[in-house]
Every structure is written in C-alpha cells, then in structure tokens.
Amino acid sequence: MTAEKLGLNILLTGASGGIGRALAHSLAARGHCLLLQGRNAQTLEQLREALPDKSRHMTLAADLCDPRQRQQVVATCAGLAGGVDVLINNAGVARFALLGDTDDAEVRKILETNLLVPMALTRDLLPLLQRSAQGAVINIGSAFGHIGHPGFSIYGASKSGLHGFTEALRRELGDSHVKVHYLAPRAVDTALNTEAVNGLNRALGNRSDSPQLVAQRCVDLLDGKTSGRRFIGWPERLFIKVNALLPAVVDAALIKKMPVIRRFAQQNLTAGESL
Ligand SMILES: NC(=O)c1ccc[n+]([C@@H]2O[C@H](COP(=O)([O-])OP(=O)(O)OC[C@H]3O[C@@H](n4cnc5c(N)ncnc54)[C@H](OP(=O)(O)O)[C@@H]3O)[C@@H](O)[C@H]2O)c1
C-alpha cells in the first residue's frame, strides 16, 4: 500500500458522455490525474485538451464490451508508474422501450455495458486498488435501479444489479481500506435521454439535474472517509423509500401513468431510437 497522495490516478469510464465530461472537469480541477475512457479517441482527446493540466491526463479509447479491449485497458492501468487509485464505473447505455419492443441484442448490450463490464473491471483492477492507500470504486447507478419504471425494465434491471453488486462488494471489502461508493442520480440532462424520454419526463413532471450536480455529488463521495451510498433528487429519494416499504402504492401510481408512458414509448420507437 502506498502513502496518501493528493492527486489520485482515476480511471473514469464513459468520460466522453454528459456526466463523464462534467466529472472529468471537476476531478481535474481538484488536481487528480485522469485516465479518460470512452469509445471515441477523438472525442476523448478533445476533452483532455480542455482540462486543466492536460498533460497530467491520458485517454484510453476502447469498447469495454469487447473483452480484449477491456483487458488492454486493465493492462495499461497495471503498467502505470503510480498505478490506479480509483475506478469510476460511469459508462452506460439506456433504451426507453416496452419489453415486447426490445430484442435480444439490446437486452444483452444493456446488461453487458451497465452490469457485467463494471463487475469485470472492478475485479480486474482490484489488485491495483488494494495497493493504493486511497483505493476506491464508485459505481454510477440510477433511481430506476430502485423504482422499477415501466419502459425501462431492462435498464432498471441492470442498475438494480449494479446496486446489489455494489452493496455486496462494499461488505466484502468492508474490513479492507478499499472504499466502495454508490451514486444513483435521477434524470440528468445528457444525450443518454432521447427526445421521447425528455417528453415523458416533462409530461410526468419528473425533474432532471445538470451533469455538474451529479459530478459534485460524486466528488463528495470520493472525499468521504467511509464508503457512501447516495441518491440524488427530491422527491425521488422519498419515492425510493416508499417503494421499498410499500411497493403496491408505487404500483398504483405508475399503472395510472401507463397511457402516457405507452404514448412516449411509441414515439421513441417511431423515431427509430436504438442503442
Ligand atoms: N442521463 C441520465 O438521465 C442518467 C440518470 C441516472 C443515471 N445515469 C447513468 O450515468 C452514467 C453516465 O450517463 P450519461 O447520462 O453521461 O450518458 P451519455 O452521455 O450517453 O454517456 C455514456 C458514456 O458511456 C460510454 N459508453 C457506452 N458504452 C460503452 C462501451 N461499450 N465501452 C466504453 N464506453 C461506453 C459512452 O462512450 P461513447 O462516447 O464512446 O459513446 C459515453 O462516454 C450511465 O451509467 C447512466 O446509466 C444517467
């Protein structure tokens, strides 16, 4: 285990996305050294160029669903002089569709990207994280992993799975110094959400947050002395508790909204939105 250091080496997956970019800026501004991960080398390079102290950061373009490319990312991390202190599992995909309109390839891609990849990356990077005095994993979940929402059954299942994985791992590593954090945002203003999803949120009165707010909450977790689990947004935090205690109440509320949800799911389908 190395001594405490100020600028941590952080592998940030999905760095090129809405939340990823905001996180990259927040973390870089705090003096951390980033390994910016995403699929598009050019987009990642543009991000790196825009960060403070750009020479401290590097880009790692790879499709994490491809085991060989993922192994390459792990090997690059293992070869770094300072190792890797923190893994942020932020890369993710979503699709708003009724189950009957979701094919096998889409199901596989959502579960693989949002659940299997974070599990495999965490496992493979754990020896490196254990060597750091500030070793930590941060998994980016979703409110939909805690409130099953019609139109997001596969996405919600992937995020529920991620929460279950995080909880068990937090306990498994509870007698070690490696922290395991979990952050579940509600809707966030990024390209992950299609026009139909934004329309649905407006119609249902669901509020959304800026990626910068999510980035700030993530930085707060990283600064915490113990493993943390945070949910973003009010009244979503209350709904999550009600759903856990009285799921029939939430069933009734969401079933009433099915005509609206069906209309926007159809709009998404007609727009040809896919992964
Ligand atoms: N936006 C929301 O409303 C919301 C709400 C709650 C939770 N979240 C969660 O927050 C996280 C970030 O979402 P976002 O809103 O920032 O989405 P986003 O803007 O669509 O960005 C997604 C990121 O994931 C990367 N990615 C996707 N598949 C990948 C793969 N196979 N290999 C490597 N990278 C891959 C994308 O890379 P490319 O640039 O190469 O596509 C991109 O950087 C996700 O886990 C999402 O589920 C989002």
Side-chain angles (χ1 to χ4, degrees), residues 158-177:
S158 72
K159 293 295 185 176
S160 282
L162 186 67
H163 176 254
F165 168 67
T166 311
E167 185 173 270
L169 190 70
R170 185 175 72 237
R171 292 166 183 169
E172 190 170 313
L173 299 177
D175 58 359
S176 81
H177 65 281

Side-chain angles (χ1 to χ4, degrees), residues 14-20 37-40 62-65 90-93 113 140-142 155 159 185-188 190-193:
S16 47
I19 294 174
Q37 200 289 318
R39 284 172 297 190
N40 187 310
D63 182 343
L64 293 174
C65 291
N90 167 69
V93 291
T113 312
I140 307 296
S142 163
Y155 178 75
K159 293 295 185 176
R186 60 177 176 186
V188 187
T190 73
L192 187 85
N193 297 321

Side-chain angles (χ1 to χ4, degrees), residues 75-210:
T76 304
C77 292
L80 289 176
V84 166
D85 304 288
V86 178
L87 163 64
I88 304 182
N89 283 308
N90 167 69
V93 291
R95 178 153 188 265
F96 169 40
L98 301 180
L99 183 62
D101 296 323
T102 315
D103 65 27
D104 281 357
E106 289 165 332
V107 172
R108 208 172 299 118
K109 188 156 186 194
I110 295 169
L111 292 178
E112 209 168 330
T113 312
N114 297 358
L115 182 57
L116 302 186
V117 161
M119 287 172 164
L121 258 189
T122 306
R123 180 200 58 207
D124 294 344
L125 287 173
L126 204 48
L128 284 182
L129 302 178
Q130 284 167 326
R131 255 177 254 152
S132 161
Q134 286 128 296
V137 180
I138 304 181
N139 289 332
I140 307 296
S142 163
F144 283 179
H146 304 269
I147 303 176
H149 198 287
F152 293 91
S153 57
I154 308 300
Y155 178 75
S158 72
K159 293 295 185 176
S160 282
L162 186 67
H163 176 254
F165 168 67
T166 311
E167 185 173 270
L169 190 70
R170 185 175 72 237
R171 292 166 183 169
E172 190 170 313
L173 299 177
D175 58 359
S176 81
H177 65 281
V178 178
K179 291 178 217 144
V180 183
H181 305 290
Y182 176 79
L183 182 65
R186 60 177 176 186
V188 187
D189 306 322
T190 73
L192 187 85
N193 297 321
T194 60
E195 262 315 298
V197 173
N198 291 329
L200 175 71
N201 283 334
R202 281 192 296 273
L204 297 182
N206 296 337
R207 272 173 284 174
S208 64
D209 295 308
S210 69

Side-chain angles (χ1 to χ4, degrees), residues 215-244:
Q216 186 52 53
R217 293 289 176 275
C218 196
V219 167
D220 293 344
L221 277 175
L222 190 58
D223 288 346
K225 296 222 176 305
T226 54
S227 297
R229 190 178 76 132
R230 300 279 180 279
F231 301 89
I232 301 178
W234 186 265
E236 286 76 3
R237 290 205 307 274
L238 173 67
F239 291 163
I240 287 168
K241 286 194 191 306
V242 172
N243 190 52

